[in-house]
Amino acid sequence: MKKAILPLSVGFSVLAFSVSDAASLADMEGADALVKVADVEPSGSCTMVDFETLGEKVAYAALPFRRPRMAVVADFATSGEKAFRASWDANHRMGFTIKIPATDFTPFDRLVIDVVNAGPEPDQLNLHVAAAGEKLDDSVYTANGLRGCIFAPVGSSTWVVELTRWPKKAEKSRTKISELRFYALHPCGTTMHFDNIRLLKKGEPLVPGAYRPEDAAKIAALVKGVAERDGAARAAAKASLKDAMTAAGMAVGQMLVGTATPMEHLLPKDPAALAKVRPAAALRLRLARGEYESAQLIVAPLTGVLHRVSVACSDLVCREGRAAGTTLAASNVACAVTGYSRTLYQAPYAVGRTVFTNAADRAGYQRKGFFPQADWYPDVILGHVRAADVAEDTAQGFWVRVQCPRDQPAGVYCGELAVSAEGAAPVRIPFMIGVNGFTLPKTAALPVAMNFHPSGDVGWLPTDAEYAERRAAKDDPLAPRNIWKKRQMEWADFLADYLIPYDFLYRVSHAAYDSEPNWDILMRLKAQGRLAPFTLAYWGQIPEGGKGVKKWNRSLPYY
């Protein structure tokens, strides 16, 4: 197959690279500066790197990251006969740099790369497009040059990095780009192939890479292998929960029903989700008077689709003790559908998660840190939604929230939760609520500083479409970032239910929002007897010198 090089619209030198199949690039970390090859006549789009020309050295370790295993191979090429392969392990910061001649990116609006992820898992790379000598900055807040987040499912994909929205401080470097720095902060570990790194001007069509028939067959096999693996894991998880329900004495019909604590994230499309829940043979909660407690029910179809699935609670009655015959009304139990938010990129920080383990030597719950991958995550409690369809191979959560009245007598109250769906026999779950013989105060016992402001800030977004959508939402009164303000009193009440003050920590005179407390909310909480300590202002140590003191004084709110 002959290599086709598309010409560039400005003066440019095409850089290509090739060595023998599977030749290692590990010795290139200290390589000399690149040597230009033939200049390209100005006229169209450009293939910058396709890894074909013998002797050129283009891949280097991106210090201080760990160097991946790199080679040029004959697999998965879309321009010529060769492609660049990089492999890395899970959980190790990894990076490599592909050098290109100093290039003016101004005429172009897209950087395009053909990629094949030949590993067992999807993975994400960050791409830093920069001029020589610019610091590699992996901060989520600042950037030297242009950055992009690139997600690669198993199989082939075409990466498109939009070049139209550069950080202001990097505008000068846009005319002399010479490095493409790929790095992963918390990778899953995989093997990727890269080829035909090219630039497109506005209006030029995006044509995905065409793979040789034998490579296309390998890609199809990769995708099929993932589907078969996930299908087997999903079937095993269903069988595990079904067997556990049978062993617990539950009737198994069309619905599989499990339970999880409110601290557990069950991803709806995770093939192993049902293996992480316990059979909902009974549900027990204990709380004090004036307290709120929650639990999750997880519902999945054994086959097919479940329509209009809902959860309802009966009145609960205390049958023994001093409170015998007393009722805890069903109106104190809210059963809502769990909503899900989709993340498009890996979080750059670790989050804590409480996980259940039934290991013989460490039974119970453990707190673990992890780096969330792009997926659908349980997030929104849809209090206004009482029923939902549950698609095949989906684990749908339902949120059960109990409010204990402040005058409820202590005791154990028994009732049931009924999980219903159209055309399916309901699943009835014994539900017991233990009410302790004491009452929680209306505010936290210790001063608590919380930061609450669902601003939906524009921040850094990788594509123009996402950026434009977020910018438009800033002025749209019906956008989530604004519509919540109409119901902010309900927000304040909900937070106070859990002894969390409605507050904003970073309150200074020049703050973009919440530069002063919301006095109406504070007066409302005071009238309810639930007003807790709140932030008046945010400042650090007073600087030395007259100018420092004046600047410090200017940062304080007017009040």
Side-chain angles (χ1 to χ4, degrees):
M1 182 180 295
K2 296 187 67 175
K3 175 183 66 176
I5 298 293
L6 299 177
L8 176 66
S9 61
V10 293
F12 183 72
S13 296
V14 171
L15 178 66
F17 173 70
S18 177
V19 292
S20 59
D21 290 359
S24 174
L25 300 181
D27 60 337
M28 294 189 177
E29 182 176 351
D32 296 331
L34 295 171
V35 178
K36 289 185 178 181
V37 292
D39 286 339
V40 176
E41 294 297 326
S43 65
S45 61
C46 170
T47 293
M48 292 189 298
V49 186
D50 67 357
F51 309 103
E52 293 296 314
T53 303
L54 288 171
E56 290 298 339
K57 303 173 181 178
V58 297
Y60 301 79
L63 301 177
F65 299 109
R66 178 176 294 190
R67 180 174 56 204
R69 298 174 292 278
M70 300 181 288
V72 168
V73 297
D75 296 323
F76 305 119
T78 57
S79 175
E81 303 290 337
K82 310 293 182 183
F84 174 65
R85 184 183 69 197
S87 302
W88 53 88
D89 299 322
N91 303 320
H92 293 296
R93 291 164 61 97
M94 175 282 302
F96 61 92
T97 295
I98 292 180
K99 298 279 190 178
I100 63 175
T103 306
D104 184 359
F105 272 38
T106 305
F108 302 96
D109 69 347
R110 286 158 294 165
L111 171 68
V112 183
I113 309 173
D114 295 328
V115 180
V116 172
N117 180 355
E121 300 290 344
D123 214 340
Q124 176 178 302
L125 282 179
N126 299 300
L127 172 60
H128 182 203
V129 180
E134 283 188 332
K135 177 184 177 183
L136 175 57
D137 188 350
D138 58 12
S139 168
V140 297
Y141 301 108
T142 60
N144 296 302
L146 180 75
R147 293 181 304 135
C149 275
I150 305 168
F151 183 77
V154 174
S156 63
S157 54
T158 301
W159 287 354
V160 180
V161 180
E162 295 181 354
L163 305 174
T164 53
R165 187 167 42 85
W166 287 68
K168 290 183 179 180
K169 69 176 184 178
E171 279 292 341
K172 292 183 179 179
S173 68
R174 187 175 183 175
T175 62
K176 50 183 179 181
I177 298 301
S178 60
E179 295 183 354
L180 305 178
R181 301 166 178 169
F182 297 85
Y183 64 95
L185 301 180
H186 308 286
C188 297
T190 190
T191 296
M192 289 190 194
H193 296 72
F194 307 83
D195 199 21
N196 199 12
I197 301 176
R198 56 201 185 274
L199 290 166
L200 296 179
K201 296 177 67 176
K202 185 176 181 179
E204 290 182 332
L206 170 62
V207 180
Y211 295 91
R212 294 182 295 249
E214 59 270 29
D215 288 333
K218 293 177 184 177
I219 292 169
L222 289 169
V223 175
K224 181 180 178 182
V226 171
E228 291 176 346
R229 180 196 65 192
D230 289 350
R234 191 172 284 113
K238 283 185 178 181
S240 174
L241 180 55
K242 180 181 177 181
D243 292 345
M245 289 175 63
T246 301
M250 299 177 65
V252 178
Q254 182 59 17
M255 285 190 291
L256 298 175
V257 182
T259 184
T261 75
M263 298 299 291
E264 294 176 85
H265 282 121
L266 275 301
L267 308 188
K269 292 297 185 179
D270 179 2
L274 297 182
K276 302 174 183 178
V277 302
R278 281 77 66 197
L283 189 62
R284 297 176 177 84
L285 291 177
R286 177 169 288 277
L287 69 171
R289 291 188 287 257
E291 188 177 10
Y292 292 76
E293 282 290 352
S294 303
Q296 289 189 84
L297 291 179
I298 308 299
V299 180
L302 187 61
T303 58
V305 179
L306 294 173
H307 295 284
R308 296 198 58 76
V309 181
S310 63
V311 178
C313 184
S314 68
D315 289 336
L316 297 102
V317 179
C318 184
R319 297 196 176 95
E320 56 185 34
R322 294 182 179 180
T326 305
T327 298
L328 178 61
S331 59
N332 293 295
V333 182
C335 302
V337 175
T338 300
Y340 297 85
S341 295
R342 186 184 182 188
T343 61
L344 301 178
Y345 311 103
Q346 181 190 66
Y349 46 79
V351 299
R353 180 172 62 183
T354 300
V355 297
F356 176 80
T357 173
N358 56 6
D361 56 337
R362 290 184 299 176
Y365 297 91
Q366 294 180 344
R367 191 72 174 168
K368 295 184 177 181
F370 75 112
F371 294 90
Q373 302 298 314
D375 211 325
W376 288 94
Y377 284 86
D379 183 21
V380 188
I381 301 172
L382 302 174
H384 61 291
V385 179
R386 294 290 179 264
D389 294 344
V390 184
E392 187 174 13
D393 296 332
T394 300
Q396 173 64 50
F398 290 82
W399 195 262
V400 180
R401 181 176 185 249
V402 180
Q403 171 192 6
C404 184
R406 302 187 73 82
D407 59 354
Q408 188 73 33
V412 177
Y413 295 79
C414 300
E416 71 173 17
L417 293 168
V419 184
S420 305
E422 289 182 355
V427 176
R428 302 189 182 279
I429 304 167
F431 189 25
M432 287 150 280
I433 298 177
V435 177
N436 293 323
F438 60 90
T439 305
L440 287 187
K442 291 185 177 181
T443 59
L446 297 174
V448 177
M450 295 285 186
N451 199 43
F452 176 80
H453 189 93
S455 64
D457 195 11
V458 171
W460 176 83
L461 292 168
T463 70
D464 286 349
E466 291 167 342
Y467 184 82
E469 181 181 10
R470 191 70 65 87
R471 290 289 297 181
K474 186 176 182 180
D475 301 319
D476 181 358
L478 297 180
R481 64 169 288 156
N482 295 320
I483 200 171
W484 75 272
K485 297 175 183 178
K486 296 182 178 180
R487 307 182 69 173
Q488 58 186 348
M489 294 299 180
E490 294 176 56
W491 277 104
D493 288 344
F494 181 83
L495 293 171
D497 289 344
Y498 292 92
L499 310 184
I500 298 173
Y502 180 101
D503 205 359
F504 182 68
L505 299 183
Y506 307 106
R507 185 164 288 130
V508 293
S509 60
H510 57 273
Y513 41 75
D514 281 353
S515 58
E516 63 178 284
N518 188 312
W519 306 111
D520 292 336
I521 287 179
L522 297 181
M523 294 303 294
R524 176 187 178 91
L525 294 176
K526 182 180 179 181
Q528 296 174 349
R530 303 201 291 179
L531 180 62
F534 58 92
T535 301
L536 278 174
Y538 175 83
W539 64 84
Q541 184 177 353
I542 301 177
E544 296 182 1
K547 290 185 178 180
V549 172
K550 288 182 180 180
K551 183 177 180 181
W552 183 83
N553 284 331
R554 286 197 302 268
S555 72
L556 299 182
Y558 73 92
Y559 50 83

